[in-house]
Amino acid sequence: MRKKIAGILILLLAGTGIFRFGMIAGAASQEPGSAGDPLITQSYLEQRLREVSGGNSGQNGFQKVNISKGKSLYLNEGTECIIYSGGATVLGNMGFINATSGTLAKKSSSAKLYHQYISPSNASGMKATANSIIYVKGSYSMD
């Protein structure tokens, strides 16, 4: 009877060890933010945004813009933006092109966080519904 219990215990320990090794090896091989490891931290996201913008606010990268609740941001034609935090409502008759979903964000609709928008005209804009951070690539003005 003792041999049988010892054999079962050894099998359980060996199985647990193999399982743990597989979990560690599998987790270590995934690229952060990929389909295999979709969760990211705020610091990772901020680092990636700095890399995309080239580490500065030049015209080749995204510039961080803080907008207070109730203020408006107007983008010139071809300018891109990503809402990082807060919220905004779309302004202008032409709305925005949502490059992330491939749809048109119409006037008075809510803009979605982390979606990339492209301005089709100089009259397109966003009104902040909360204190917001928006990354902008191109020229813009604030009201």
Side-chain angles (χ1 to χ4, degrees):
M1 182 61 111
R2 286 186 177 201
K3 285 185 180 183
K4 194 174 192 181
I5 292 173
I8 292 172
L9 185 60
I10 289 172
L11 284 174
L12 283 173
L13 289 173
T16 302
I18 291 170
F19 176 75
R20 291 285 296 155
F21 176 76
M23 291 296 290
I24 292 169
S29 66
Q30 299 298 324
E31 177 70 26
S34 69
D37 183 19
L39 298 178
I40 61 172
T41 62
Q42 182 178 355
S43 61
Y44 175 79
L45 179 60
E46 289 173 348
Q47 174 190 354
R48 294 293 294 154
L49 286 170
R50 277 192 302 275
E51 289 173 7
V52 168
S53 68
N56 62 26
S57 61
Q59 76 184 84
N60 292 330
F62 284 88
Q63 178 180 356
K64 181 179 177 181
V65 178
N66 294 307
I67 301 175
S68 301
K69 180 180 179 178
K71 296 291 183 181
S72 297
L73 173 73
Y74 293 96
L75 306 179
N76 288 345
E77 184 177 338
T79 298
E80 303 171 42
C81 72
I82 299 171
I83 301 175
Y84 179 72
S85 69
T89 303
V90 176
L91 302 173
N93 292 331
M94 295 192 71
F96 278 104
I97 299 166
N98 185 333
T100 303
S101 67
T103 60
L104 179 65
K106 296 181 181 178
K107 180 179 180 179
S108 301
S109 66
S110 293
K112 297 179 181 178
L113 289 178
Y114 313 117
H115 281 230
Q116 184 175 9
Y117 292 94
I118 302 171
S119 176
S121 74
N122 289 340
S124 295
M126 294 186 178
K127 184 172 186 174
T129 57
N131 290 339
S132 303
I133 296 174
I134 300 177
Y135 282 85
V136 179
K137 182 178 181 182
S139 56
Y140 67 92
S141 62
M142 290 179 50
D143 184 344

